[in-house]
Structure formats: C-alpha cells, structure tokens
Amino acid sequence: MSYFEDKSAQLTLDQIQILLKKGQFKKGQTEILNFGNTKSAFWIKIDYISSATNRDYLVLDIPNIDHIDFYTHTETGIVYRTAGSIVRSIPGVIATNNYIFDLPPQSHTITKLWLKLKTNNILIVPIKIVSSDNFIPGKSIKNNLQIIYLGILLTLLLFNFFLYFSLKDSTYLYYSLYVFSLGIYMVMYLRGYSYLFGQDARILLNHYPHAFLAISIIASILFSKKFLNLKNVSKLLVHACNFLLLCSIVMLCASIAGFKSIASHMAQVVTMAGAVILWTSGLIAYKKGHKPAKYYILAWSFITVTVIAVVLSLAGVLTYHDYTFEFVPIGSTIELLLLAFALGDRYRTIIRSEQQVRDENFSLIQTQNQRLEKLVEERTLRLSETIAQLEASNGVKNKLFSIIAHDLRSPFSSLISIFALKDMDLLSLDELKILLNENRKNIDTIHNTLNNLLYWAQSQMEGVKTVPTAFNIKQLIEDLALVYSPLIQSKGITINLHAADQSMVFADENQIQLVLRNLIDNAIKFTPSSHGIDITLSPHESAIKICVNNTISKTNSLNIESITNPGAFEATYGTGHEKGIGLGLHLCREYIKGNGSELSVKLSGRLVSFCFELPLPNLQNTIVA
C-alpha cells in the first residue's frame, strides 16, 4: 500500500498512474494511515492477491470521510464506484457506519486498487481486505460493544432527564444535555450510526458535526460550574470556564457556517484545554471541602487521558491503531458513568444535609413547643390566679358593700332616731343618756369600721406603702390599752402586757398601730367577762415576736377556717353581740406582710393566739430610715 498527496485535489487516475511510474508515491508505514487535518486529496494504491474460495471486500472502517472514489482494474476494464459521508451511496457500495466495496473475483492474481480520499476534517484511513468467512464474526463483536455503549448512554440520558423534571435542578438538565450532544457526536458522527436515520440525516450531520461537540462542551462547562459551585470556589476558574464557553460558542458558529476544517482544529484544542481546566476545577473544589467532587475528578481524569491520547495520535506523535477508535467511546462512557456517580453522591449529600436541617428544625420546633407550652401553662396559671383574685376581690367588694350598707346604716339610723326624738322633746335628759350609753358600742364599732375601710380603700388605690422607722412597740401597746380601757372596764376583762426591757422594733408605726388595734379589738370582742387578754413581747436574735392571746367562750363560736383564709371576709359577733365585717384581719395580714412577716393564728382549746414578728432596729436600717 502506497499513497500520494494531491494538494490540488484535481488530478485524474491517468495522471496519478504517471506519477506512480515516476516514483512519487510513498509507501505506507503504519497499519492505519493518518493524514491529519488537511484539504488535500490523497491517492492510495493497493496491491493484493485475491483468495480462491471466498468473496473479498475492501473495507474503509471509518464513517466520516467526505468523498471516496474507488477504481479497480478487471479483465473487462476499470470499475469505478463513489461513496462518502456527504455523498449518496451507489450500487456496489455498502455505506453504513463504514464503507464496504465488493471486489471482483480474480483467483491468485495481483489486483490493483485505487482510492481517492478527500475530507475537510481529520483524515484517518483504516483499510482492510476481508473475506466473507472472517468479516461477519469480527463485525458482530464490534456491534455488540456499540450496543452496550448506546444502552448506557440512553439509560443515563433518560434517568437524568427524569430527575431534572422531578427535582427541578438545572444540574441534571446540563448533564442530560451533555449526554445527548456528546452521544450524537460520538455515536452518530464518530461511529457513523447516523445512516440509521437515512441518507439525508447522515449527510446533514456530516456537514456540521462539530456543532454537537461544541454543544457538549458548553453543557459540560455549565454542568461543572453548577455542580462544583465554582463561584464560591475560585473566581479565576470561573473566568477560565467563561473563556472556554466563548471558544466553544465560536467553534459552534464556525461549524454551523460550514467551516468544517476550522471547527475541527478548534475541537482538538478546546477539548483538550477544557478537559484539563475542568479536571483542575474539580481538584480545587475537592480540596476546599466539596466531597462529591471525588467522582468528578475521576471522570475527568479518564476523559483527559483519552482526549490527550487521541489528539497526540491525530497529531502523529502516537501511532494510530485500530483500537484507538475505541478510546473516545470507552473513555466518554466511563466519564459519564462516574459523573452519574458524582451526581448521586451530590444528591445523597444534599439529602443528608436536608435531613440534618430537618432534624435540627424538628428539635428546635420541639424545644420551642415545649417552651411555648410551658409559657402558655405559666400564663394560664397566672391568668387563672388573676381571675380567681378578681373574682375574690369582686366577691369581697360586693360583700363589703352589702355589710357596709346594713351595718353602718342601721347604727346611724338608730342615732338619727334618738336625736329626732330629742328634737321633738319626746325624751328626757336621763332617757337620752341611757339611750346614748346603750348605743356607745355601736358608735365604737362604726369608728373602727370606718378606719379600716379608709385604710383598705387607700391600699386598693395606691398600694401598700411601707415606711419603716424605729419605735418602741411596748409604749405603743400601752397607749392603745389606755384608749381601750373604758371598753375593757365595761366588759369586766383585763389586759396584761408581758414585755422585756428591749422593745424597740423597725417597722411602719402607723401600720403596726392599725394591726394592734384590730387584734386588741377582736380580743376584747371575743373575751368573756372576768377573763383577761395577754399580750407578750418575746425578743429573739433579730426580731421581737408579738402575740395577742385571749380566751373565747365557746370553741365553735370562732370559725378558725375563715380566720386563717386570707381571702375570707366573714362577719363575726363578739360576746356582747359586737359585730365586725372581717376587714380588720385582712388589713392585718396585708400590713404585717408589708413589714416582712406573716400573721399566724393558733387555736388551742378555748385559747386563741394571733402572732407576728417585727425586726429589731440595727445601724444599717436605721440609717436607711
């Protein structure tokens, strides 16, 4: 096999035969001739000895040679046939994903074959002379490999296209577009299966093959930018990818415009540069923590090695062999599978992150719900307490006004009646004195009730304001005993004060005076005649305990539950039928609490005790006061 480069692409067979005789032909040194990217036509002369028993065929095992002219010498003359990727087939040539020429039977004689080949692309010429007994088995093995490759491409395309419509993630759209356009370029152009869609489709595709390659490069760049999130990885890599996009768009335009040779030159450069840049992008992204990039790096490692090997083979640096045709399909298949693994790992990482976020959100929601439940519970409790207090307060007010309306109006009506009788001169002076003395108890009760009501009303409007000072509690009690001496004498009872020398306390004197007046008043009211009231002052380490003790006539005459209940206001009657409205004890509790203590009530047999404590004065609280 020998060849000659026809740079004008205008020479005829007769002219070529003359050049052969002049020794212008070169002998083929390799199994597959690689003429590179050129616009020249190449004449190839083949001498072979035909077999005696089988039919022989000349096979050009490549689908993308634009023009093929076939000549052979027979006993009847020269046989001419034409074929090519942009030429319609004629009888005598089988044009599928390769070109098969039927050779004339000439037993054991040297047959001369002439081929004129021309293309505006890389011209690779794998020439085979086969017989019928070894051609079909070899072709079936090759077809099986192609079917596997096609099956993988179709599966990846459909699956990721479905994921795009399900997840609305543009990463899967770019990957699907990459699989589709790369599959068209590899399967339909490089492997020549466009003939399955008719001669018109084959001719159209072979006029603009690098448009699909340009689209696949554009899709791979967009996929990589999205998958690796390059804008957060490196601005320099983003600029490099944008430059690749620009070059791919220029290549796309050149291919569509019909500059097939220019597009072919650009395809080699852009493909190799793109593989290196995208592989580097994956490596940098992985180092910066993007874990799914590990499969991405492996994928572009395979395609980078494949592209470099093919480009070097096309450039003549490496020898082009028959298996070199399988580099790109195998390398691209492995790349696409690894990219699919990368997408799966990315999806798994996203799902895991989303699950972690959901778990954290669920935990936060649970915690927040617990906080809200606790807050609602606390507020509900406070609201219930407030409602209870309001209801109690409303009940107290209603009861107080009812008692006031009856217990204050009745004594006043009695007094008004007395004075009316006096004004009408219906009463003598002695009768007036007798009636006034009989109403003395009512007047005292009215006075005490009015005092308590005024203090209670003040506390309701302004709140309890405690202003503590140091004063002598013993002296205060002695003064109160003098005030109550007429009432004590009239009931025939006594007051006994038991106090130590130290009787200074630190409290609000006015409030404590009101407390003691109510406690002494209650004691006088419930103590039977000929009994006594004991008031004791017991000093402790930092306070003085004050107790008012008295004996009652009957145990059941005093409702201890109503006395100890802070919210109770119950009218009670003393031994002399003295009536109270229950407000005094309420004020006592409130004022004692304002002075830092609690009122305790103890009933033992017929002895009832009301006790509370007041702090002793010291240097610090004296200065504060």
Side-chain angles (χ1 to χ4, degrees):
M1 185 169 61
S2 57
Y3 63 90
F4 173 80
E5 181 179 3
D6 179 6
K7 293 183 179 181
S8 65
Q10 300 296 326
L11 298 178
T12 62
L13 178 61
D14 293 334
Q15 292 172 326
I16 286 297
Q17 288 177 339
I18 294 172
L19 292 173
L20 175 65
K21 293 178 181 179
K22 293 181 178 180
Q24 297 294 317
F25 273 64
K26 297 181 181 178
K27 186 174 180 58
Q29 300 295 326
T30 59
E31 182 179 328
I32 298 175
L33 298 177
N34 180 6
F35 297 122
N37 193 341
T38 178
K39 294 182 179 181
S40 301
F42 283 85
W43 287 84
I44 300 175
K45 177 180 175 293
I46 304 169
D47 295 333
Y48 86 102
I49 299 175
S50 62
S51 61
T53 57
N54 297 304
R55 193 67 180 267
D56 296 326
Y57 303 91
L58 171 68
V59 180
L60 284 177
D61 202 10
I62 192 167
N64 46 25
I65 300 176
D66 290 351
H67 299 275
I68 304 172
D69 292 317
F70 172 83
Y71 302 89
T72 183
H73 295 275
T74 64
E75 294 176 354
T76 58
I78 297 177
V79 175
Y80 169 76
R81 296 188 182 99
T82 182
S85 60
I86 58 175
V87 176
R88 294 187 177 276
S89 301
I90 62 172
V93 181
I94 300 175
T96 56
N97 60 336
N98 55 16
Y99 303 97
I100 305 172
F101 296 89
D102 187 8
L103 299 180
Q106 298 185 39
S107 300
H108 299 289
T109 60
I110 297 177
T111 303
K112 295 181 179 181
L113 305 175
W114 298 87
L115 291 174
K116 180 184 179 183
L117 308 175
K118 186 179 184 306
T119 187
N120 288 323
N121 198 354
I122 297 171
L123 184 57
I124 304 295
V125 188
I127 299 176
K128 300 175 183 178
I129 302 292
V130 298
S131 60
S132 57
D133 60 346
N134 60 14
F135 174 61
I136 300 302
K139 189 173 181 64
S140 63
I141 295 174
K142 186 176 181 180
N143 288 340
N144 290 336
L145 292 175
Q146 300 293 342
I147 291 172
I148 294 173
Y149 175 64
L150 288 172
I152 293 173
L153 288 181
L154 186 61
T155 302
L156 292 175
L157 176 63
L158 294 178
F159 179 71
N160 286 278
F161 205 59
F162 170 77
L163 285 178
Y164 166 68
F165 282 105
S166 300
L167 302 176
K168 303 301 180 183
D169 186 348
S170 59
T171 309
Y172 294 98
L173 176 63
Y174 297 144
Y175 179 79
S176 301
L177 181 61
Y178 179 48
V179 174
F180 176 76
S181 54
L182 185 63
I184 292 292
Y185 182 76
M186 295 291 179
V187 176
M188 300 298 173
Y189 175 66
L190 291 184
R191 306 311 298 161
Y193 282 92
S194 57
Y195 78 92
L196 296 173
F197 299 94
Q199 293 193 54
D200 292 334
R202 174 173 61 84
I203 292 171
L204 178 64
L205 178 66
N206 280 273
H207 270 105
Y208 314 104
H210 298 99
F212 292 96
L213 179 61
I215 294 173
S216 72
I217 296 173
I218 292 171
S220 68
I221 295 170
L222 295 176
F223 165 80
S224 300
K225 291 175 68 175
K226 180 74 173 177
F227 178 82
L228 299 175
N229 196 15
L230 279 187
K231 63 181 180 180
N232 295 327
V233 174
S234 171
K235 292 184 178 179
L236 181 62
L237 290 175
V238 172
H239 294 324
C241 289
N242 290 337
F243 179 73
L244 276 177
L245 278 174
L246 179 61
C247 293
S248 301
I249 293 172
V250 172
M251 183 174 73
L252 175 65
C253 295
S255 179
I256 294 174
F259 299 106
K260 192 173 181 180
S261 179
I262 296 175
S264 176
H265 281 293
M266 292 188 67
Q268 297 181 55
V269 177
V270 173
T271 302
M272 187 163 60
V276 173
I277 290 174
L278 295 181
W279 179 85
T280 305
S281 300
L283 184 63
I284 294 174
Y286 182 76
K287 288 182 177 180
K288 291 191 175 182
H290 191 63
K291 298 304 179 184
K294 57 181 178 290
Y295 292 109
Y296 177 94
I297 296 171
L298 289 174
W300 284 103
S301 296
F302 272 97
I303 200 65
T304 300
V305 171
T306 300
V307 168
I308 292 175
V310 171
V311 170
L312 292 178
S313 298
L314 294 176
V317 178
L318 299 177
T319 302
Y320 210 100
H321 297 282
D322 193 29
Y323 56 80
T324 305
F325 287 102
E326 307 302 329
F327 279 1
V328 175
I330 292 174
S332 61
T333 302
I334 295 175
E335 180 217 14
L336 293 175
L337 285 173
L338 289 172
L339 287 179
F341 292 157
L343 282 172
D345 193 32
R346 172 180 176 268
Y347 183 72
R348 182 174 61 87
T349 302
I350 292 173
I351 293 299
R352 184 182 299 171
S353 299
E354 290 180 351
Q355 184 63 43
Q356 184 178 357
V357 170
R358 284 196 296 267
D359 292 342
E360 291 176 355
N361 289 338
F362 182 71
S363 177
L364 289 174
I365 290 172
Q366 283 187 322
T367 304
Q368 190 65 22
N369 285 340
Q370 292 174 354
R371 290 177 180 174
L372 289 175
E373 288 174 0
K374 186 176 180 181
L375 182 61
V376 169
E377 184 179 353
E378 291 175 353
R379 291 185 176 179
T380 303
L381 181 61
R382 288 199 296 268
L383 181 60
S384 300
E385 292 175 352
T386 303
I387 292 173
Q389 291 173 359
L390 289 174
E391 290 176 348
S393 177
N394 189 56
V396 167
K397 290 176 182 178
N398 292 337
K399 193 169 185 180
L400 283 175
F401 284 118
S402 175
I403 293 171
I404 290 169
H406 181 270
D407 293 347
L408 288 183
R409 187 164 55 184
S410 295
F412 275 117
S413 298
S414 177
L415 289 173
I416 291 171
S417 298
I418 292 172
F419 287 115
L421 291 172
K422 176 65 176 66
D423 291 339
M424 291 184 293
D425 293 329
L426 298 177
L427 293 176
S428 64
L429 182 60
D430 292 335
E431 289 173 337
L432 180 61
K433 289 180 179 180
I434 292 170
L435 289 175
L436 289 175
N437 285 332
E438 288 179 355
N439 282 274
R440 172 65 185 271
K441 289 184 292 184
N442 289 336
I443 294 171
D444 291 337
T445 300
I446 291 171
H447 179 261
N448 191 48
T449 299
L450 286 175
N451 276 334
N452 286 337
L453 284 172
L454 289 173
Y455 276 104
W456 177 79
Q458 183 181 9
S459 68
Q460 293 297 305
M461 291 185 294
E462 301 177 359
V464 178
K465 296 181 180 179
T466 302
V467 182
T469 58
F471 64 93
N472 193 321
I473 188 67
K474 179 181 177 183
Q475 184 65 46
L476 179 61
I477 295 172
E478 289 175 347
D479 294 340
L480 288 175
L482 291 175
V483 173
Y484 284 100
S485 60
L487 187 58
I488 291 170
Q489 290 175 3
S490 66
K491 288 198 69 171
I493 60 177
T494 60
I495 291 181
N496 303 311
L497 178 59
H498 307 280
D501 295 336
Q502 171 58 34
S503 56
M504 296 295 292
V505 295
F506 187 75
D508 190 309
E509 185 173 0
N510 291 329
Q511 293 177 2
I512 299 304
Q513 182 182 15
L514 180 68
V515 170
L516 290 172
R517 285 180 59 187
N518 277 282
L519 293 179
I520 294 172
D521 188 79
N522 281 339
I524 293 172
K525 182 168 63 173
F526 289 101
T527 301
S529 299
S530 71
H531 287 73
I533 299 171
D534 293 326
I535 301 176
T536 60
L537 304 178
S538 305
H540 294 281
E541 183 177 351
S542 60
I544 289 180
K545 184 176 183 180
I546 300 100
C547 290
V548 179
N549 310 302
N550 66 287
T551 303
I552 59 176
S553 59
K554 293 179 181 180
T555 305
N556 59 1
S557 66
L558 190 64
N559 190 343
I560 189 65
E561 184 178 353
S562 66
I563 293 175
T564 56
N565 184 4
F569 287 82
E570 184 175 345
T572 56
Y573 292 88
T575 57
H577 301 287
E578 305 94 335
K579 188 175 181 181
I581 62 174
L583 182 59
L585 283 179
H586 177 76
L587 290 173
C588 289
R589 290 191 190 93
E590 190 171 353
Y591 287 150
I592 290 173
K593 185 176 181 181
N595 284 274
S597 184
E598 296 289 338
L599 178 65
S600 63
V601 183
K602 183 179 180 182
L603 181 63
S604 179
R606 296 178 61 186
L607 181 66
V608 62
S609 299
F610 291 85
C611 298
F612 62 94
E613 292 184 353
L614 294 177
L616 296 175
N618 53 43
L619 180 60
Q620 183 177 359
N621 58 33
T622 303
I623 293 174
V624 171

